[in-house]
Amino acid sequence: MALKHRKVTFCSVGINEEEDRHHNVTWFRNRRAVRKERFIMASDDIARLADVLSKTHVGDGELSYKGLGLKLDNAESVQGLVRDIEQYQGLRALCLEGNTVGVEAAQTIAKALENKDLLQRCYWSDMFTGRLRSEIPTALRSLGSALMSAGARLTELDLSDNAFGPDGVKGIEQLLKSPSCHTLRELRLNNCGMGIGGGKILAEALTECYRKSSAVGAPLKLRVFVAGRNRLENEGASALAKAFQLMGSLEEVHMPQNGINYAGVIALASAMQQNPKLRVLNFNDNTFTKKGTLAMAQALRHLRNVEVINFGDCLVRSEGAIALAAVLKEGLPILKELNVSFGEITEAAALVVAQAVMDKPHMEKVDLNGNCLGEEGCEALREVMENMDKGDLLASLSDDEGEPDEEDDDDNEEEEEDSSDECNEDDDDILKENGVTRKDDSPTKHQSSAEIMSFLSCPSVEKLTQLGEMRTTLHQQVDASDPYKAADVFLKIASLYKEEPEMKTAVLETIDVVLKKLLCETTFHSYRFLSILLIKLGLLKGEGKMKKESLVPGQLLCLEHAVQQDYFSQHHISLLYTFISKNSDALKSCRSASERLSSALQKRCHDQH
């Protein structure tokens, strides 16, 4: 009985324990579920917060909504953004890039900015996608007015990729003229479709900003200017050039794809020369041709801090490439990148450029792709770079256009010259634009004797003999800044060469006097003289219709003599040898004299190595 009672008791107790256990397990399960649910909720919140934080960058004084693709049409749509702006103490940068902002939304944002006096950087590119062009100026005026009301002092303003046209420039005109932009250091207006009208408005606004800021003792010191793909053309570019010249503080200029040809390029070159701190020049995909390239080369001679030159797709051509090579030889000590791709440059000129980078210790990239080298020319260029231990600097040549067609002409180029006299006038214009005056134009220029002028107008053996000691003054008739006249004088004298001892001596002595003066000038001027000489000898294709000389052996024999003299430096030897060795057929009418000249050049080149 007792056993049975114990059993019943046991069973009774067992049942109660089982129920308690079941209750406890259920309770713990429920509690775990609640915890799990809370954990899931917390995780979702954290994930959402992380997502927001990844998209809305807050820190370093910057509030960024970059790339969120928000469609901000009205006041309601920007409530959160406005709240963030208002609550952000010490806001210094606001990024709205990659969203689309309507007029009402912009006006609401503007109200929030009216007390943000510490704001310095506005990253407002690509923020009007899908908006009517007529809306954008109103939106920009609202935002600009807020910055002016706040007393903000901007250092960076980026409105790129907004395609707002000339009217959009009017929308920021007052802001740019205001004290809020006296401190501006970077202005980016890439791909805005400003056109000529917008370029002029922008230039006038920057000019007024500079004048007003200078009046209060703190002139505008813009460092970075970006305005690619804006159809500025010559008039817009020339207007901006005047503003750049005033400021003199630019370090980077990016103006690719603007439909600018040589007239606008010459104006920009003159302005660049007045900005000694320039580091980056990017004029890719404009039309330089010879005139523009010469003007830019002249400007680069005065700039010591340039690190990047991008003249790709600018029709630099061979004559322009030689001028740039001259500048590389005598200056640009810290250049890192040179881009003269797609410029119709031939093999010989490309090799001259390659040789010019030899002594550039900081050079990182040389881009000569898309030119007219031909398969053998590409190999020769690679070999030259490899031999200088700079093969890794040469960009791909995969898009080379092949050797030029000999029948090509430039008759349709509006900027080309019809005669050597016009070429001469063009050089005059370029020199004047860059502040250079020919020595012949000086009031104290040498008054040539009638005998010398008679000789130059119609040279002959008799006249040269009659000059006697006056032959030594013939060098006064040539000036390196007038390469056309200098080349003419040389060729006229050299054409009189005879093997008869007395005549040979008279000609060679005169040649020495003339060439010594021309080749001992600056590298730029001496390369210009040699370029014109190469054109006249048919070894280099120039622009326009410059008359090719009727070649006579004496001219080549005078050069054979000259290249053996001390005044003919090694880099001049390399330039001449490169063109003669690559274009020897041009001299086939005087084959014997040509071979003698080539042999002398080769010997000098060999002596160098």
Side-chain angles (χ1 to χ4, degrees), residues 122-175:
C122 296
Y123 305 122
W124 294 348
S125 62
D126 187 22
M127 69 173 202
F128 294 114
T129 302
R131 301 293 169 183
L132 294 175
R133 195 158 166 176
S134 58
E135 294 181 78
I136 300 174
T138 304
L140 289 172
R141 284 191 188 95
S142 297
L143 293 167
S145 295
L147 297 175
M148 291 186 282
S149 297
R153 292 293 182 268
L154 298 185
T155 57
E156 296 180 44
L157 178 60
D158 187 353
L159 287 164
S160 299
D161 301 316
N162 281 313
F164 47 50
D167 289 340
V169 185
K170 292 178 182 177
I172 58 171
E173 183 179 8
Q174 293 309 312
L175 172 64

Side-chain angles (χ1 to χ4, degrees), residues 293-308:
T293 309
L294 290 180
M296 277 294 174
Q298 280 275 20
L300 287 168
R301 296 178 63 211
H302 302 272
L303 302 172
R304 306 289 295 175
N305 296 304
V306 176
E307 297 176 10
V308 177

Side-chain angles (χ1 to χ4, degrees), residues 345-376:
I345 298 170
T346 57
E347 176 190 354
L351 293 174
V352 171
V353 171
Q355 292 160 2
V357 304
M358 184 190 307
D359 300 320
K360 299 297 170 193
H362 304 283
M363 189 64 80
E364 297 173 1
K365 184 179 180 181
V366 178
D367 192 345
L368 283 157
N369 193 23
N371 283 298
C372 303
L373 310 186
E375 190 174 337
E376 291 183 4

